[in-house]
Amino acid sequence: MLVARRGSETRSTIFLRRLAIFVFTLCWNAGSPWAAAPPVAALRAQLDSAEEAADYAATAELSRRILEITPTDSAIWKKLAVTQLHLKDYDRCGETLDRWEKAVKPRPTIIDDLRGDLAFDLKNYTEAERHWLAFIASKPKRDEAVKTF
């Protein structure tokens, strides 16, 4: 019985040591995830300021930075695409729409609307109509359709 008791004390001692190491490691590394959060929040605040000032170049750059950190944020993808349309940066806008389509699943239907806008700006009216009809056929959510039309 003495042997069993020593074994249980050893197990509890080992357990407590492991628990202490785990807690220490958790506390030590806890700064990493939280350290990443403020830059995203700061970038979003800067993005809002750039949008209010209608600084399209800054809006595009800040959107790209945010997407490096959060690549599945459709709202930021949309801001970047719309900003590139305002800047008449059509090549990058097309690339942005392609990357957005690959990054976010399920595929956002607003991409078809923006592709239609891009084709319209490039004076490719039949392509624009095709994309807009695809957007309408996808039966967008009421909020999405109201913002678009």
Side-chain angles (χ1 to χ4, degrees):
M1 195 164 220
L2 188 60
V3 175
R5 191 170 189 180
R6 254 187 219 176
S8 66
E9 288 176 0
T10 306
R11 285 187 200 136
S12 65
T13 305
I14 291 171
F15 173 75
L16 289 175
R17 281 186 195 150
R18 287 182 180 170
L19 180 64
I21 291 170
F22 174 76
V23 169
F24 177 77
T25 305
L26 184 66
C27 291
W28 183 266
N29 292 330
S32 301
W34 293 319
V40 174
L43 287 172
R44 288 182 190 276
Q46 291 174 4
L47 178 63
D48 291 340
S49 298
E51 281 183 304
E52 287 175 13
D55 186 355
Y56 296 124
T59 302
E61 180 59 31
L62 290 166
S63 296
R64 280 189 214 103
R65 286 185 187 176
I66 293 170
L67 287 172
E68 288 175 5
I69 300 168
T70 58
T72 57
D73 189 342
S74 286
I76 301 298
W77 281 109
K78 182 180 176 184
K79 284 182 187 182
L80 178 58
V82 169
T83 300
Q84 289 170 334
L85 282 173
H86 283 292
L87 291 171
K88 299 188 185 326
D89 191 357
Y90 301 127
D91 293 334
R92 284 191 182 171
C93 184
E95 292 171 9
T96 296
L97 293 172
D98 292 339
R99 288 183 25 230
W100 181 11
E101 195 167 359
K102 291 176 185 172
V104 178
K105 301 295 179 199
R107 181 184 180 277
T109 57
I110 193 73
I111 291 175
D112 285 321
D113 182 45
L114 292 171
R115 283 194 192 279
D117 293 344
L118 177 62
F120 185 82
D121 286 352
L122 293 172
K123 306 214 182 324
N124 188 347
Y125 303 117
T126 56
E127 189 75 13
E129 181 182 18
R130 185 176 68 84
H131 285 293
W132 287 331
L133 288 173
F135 174 67
I136 293 169
S138 68
K139 298 181 181 176
K141 296 176 186 171
R142 173 177 262 162
D143 296 340
E144 213 172 77
V146 168
K147 291 177 186 174
T148 302
F149 302 111

